[in-house]
């Protein structure tokens, strides 16, 4: 049994929960962070000295923190070879897109765009800064669009760990009120992800509790 700490509205927790759903793993999740609190307790500090979510504990094993490390642990222990290949070169091809998504897409979207649009009071928003950030994000997403013009998934023609790292951002990207670049292959990819039950359950989650008006 997996035990997970983290609120369902955290994008990093959503990536983890999507992976858990795809792998059909039994689990218990405890809300933590944001309005649920709990990160400053001594008990949570023993789970993760950084006091960030998500945290995962598999049975009585030591807790694991940092989303990428958690995802790779689950993929290695419970996933099929197609999800995270054992062969080093094939694995590296998945990892390069997973790392790219984390460093180039998630970081360029979450704070520069999502926080400015959703988690900033209307009178404090900077429309020009939002437009610049969306434009810069669009340049990065154009790389994914090109890759997806050749393959059904971001690292090739199989669903992999890299799709979770990229795809969990796309629900909010397509849902919030911004002017997006026309990226037809990325949009089709997003619609294909939206047909996956685990994506609908764990990623297409209301973020209204985060909204500042």
């Amino acid at each position: 049994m997996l035990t997970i700490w983290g609120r369902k509205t955290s994008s990093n927790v959503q990536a983890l929960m999507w992976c858990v759903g795809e792998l059909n793993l039994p689990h218990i999740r405890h809300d933590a962070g944001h309005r649920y609190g709990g990160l400053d307790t001594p008990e949570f500090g023993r789970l993760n000295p950084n006091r960030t979510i998500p945290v995962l504990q598999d049975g009585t094993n030591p807790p694991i923190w940092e989303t990428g490390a958690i995802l790779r642990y689950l993929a290695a222990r419970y996933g099929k070879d197609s999800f995270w290949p054992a062969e080093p070169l094939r694995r590296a091809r998945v990892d390069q897109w997973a790392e790219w998504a984390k460093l180039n897409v998630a970081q360029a979207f979450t704070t520069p765009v999502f926080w400015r649009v959703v988690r900033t009071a209307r009178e404090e928003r900077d429309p020009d800064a939002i437009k610049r950030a969306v434009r810069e994000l669009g340049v990065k997403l154009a790389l994914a669009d090109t890759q997806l013009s050749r393959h059904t998934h971001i690292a090739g023609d199989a669903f992999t760990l890299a799709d979770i790292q990229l795809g969990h951002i796309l629900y909010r990207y397509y849902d919030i009120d911004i002017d997006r670049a026309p990226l037809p292959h990325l949009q089709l990819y997003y619609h294909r992800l939206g047909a996956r039950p685990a994506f609908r359950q764990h990623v297409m989650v209301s973020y209204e509790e985060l909204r500042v008006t």
Side-chain angles (χ1 to χ4, degrees):
M1 174 72 72
L2 303 178
T3 304
I4 297 160
W5 289 264
R7 57 184 168 83
K8 66 181 181 180
T9 54
S10 159
S11 62
N12 285 328
V13 174
Q14 288 173 0
L16 164 56
M17 294 305 301
W18 181 16
C19 182
V20 166
E22 292 286 348
L23 299 178
N24 197 29
L25 301 174
H27 63 277
I28 298 172
R29 183 184 60 80
H30 302 289
D31 281 320
H34 194 54
R35 68 185 181 94
Y36 302 98
L39 303 188
D40 58 351
T41 65
E43 293 79 12
F44 191 83
R46 287 190 287 271
L47 294 171
N48 180 4
N50 292 299
R51 301 184 181 276
T52 56
I53 53 174
V55 176
L56 176 137
Q57 188 170 26
D58 188 355
T60 59
N61 292 325
I64 306 171
W65 36 269
E66 291 300 326
T67 308
I70 295 171
L71 294 177
R72 284 170 173 81
Y73 167 79
L74 294 176
R77 181 158 188 181
Y78 298 108
K80 296 179 180 178
D81 188 70
S82 60
F83 184 61
W84 199 47
E87 195 278 316
L89 183 57
R90 290 174 57 223
R91 177 176 286 189
R93 287 172 176 160
V94 172
D95 278 345
Q96 71 182 1
W97 283 105
E99 289 298 298
W100 174 85
K102 181 176 69 175
L103 296 173
N104 291 276
V105 177
Q107 290 187 10
F109 173 76
T110 302
T111 300
V113 179
F114 184 77
W115 279 56
R116 283 172 170 157
V117 172
V118 174
R119 302 188 68 171
T120 301
R122 187 176 301 276
E123 65 273 13
E124 297 176 5
R125 292 173 196 162
D126 184 339
D128 291 335
I130 293 171
K131 288 179 181 178
R132 286 194 301 272
V134 171
R135 187 165 56 247
E136 291 168 5
L137 175 62
V139 171
K140 296 176 172 64
L141 289 176
L143 300 177
D145 192 69
T146 299
Q147 171 74 351
L148 291 164
S149 72
R150 305 174 182 134
H151 301 284
T152 57
H153 296 82
I154 194 61
D157 291 321
F159 180 82
T160 70
L161 188 69
D163 294 297
I164 288 180
Q165 289 282 41
L166 173 62
H168 81 278
I169 297 297
L170 295 182
Y171 168 64
R172 293 180 179 183
Y173 172 72
Y174 280 108
D175 193 65
I176 64 174
D177 185 18
I178 56 174
D179 292 325
R180 287 169 287 273
L183 300 170
H185 303 290
L186 183 71
Q187 190 164 13
L188 286 172
Y189 168 73
Y190 167 65
H191 288 312
R192 289 196 297 273
L193 295 180
R196 304 183 75 93
F199 184 86
R200 293 198 303 272
Q201 180 180 357
H202 297 295
V203 179
M204 301 180 82
V205 172
S206 172
Y207 46 82
E208 284 305 305
E209 69 177 36
L210 305 178
R211 190 179 296 278
V212 178
T213 58

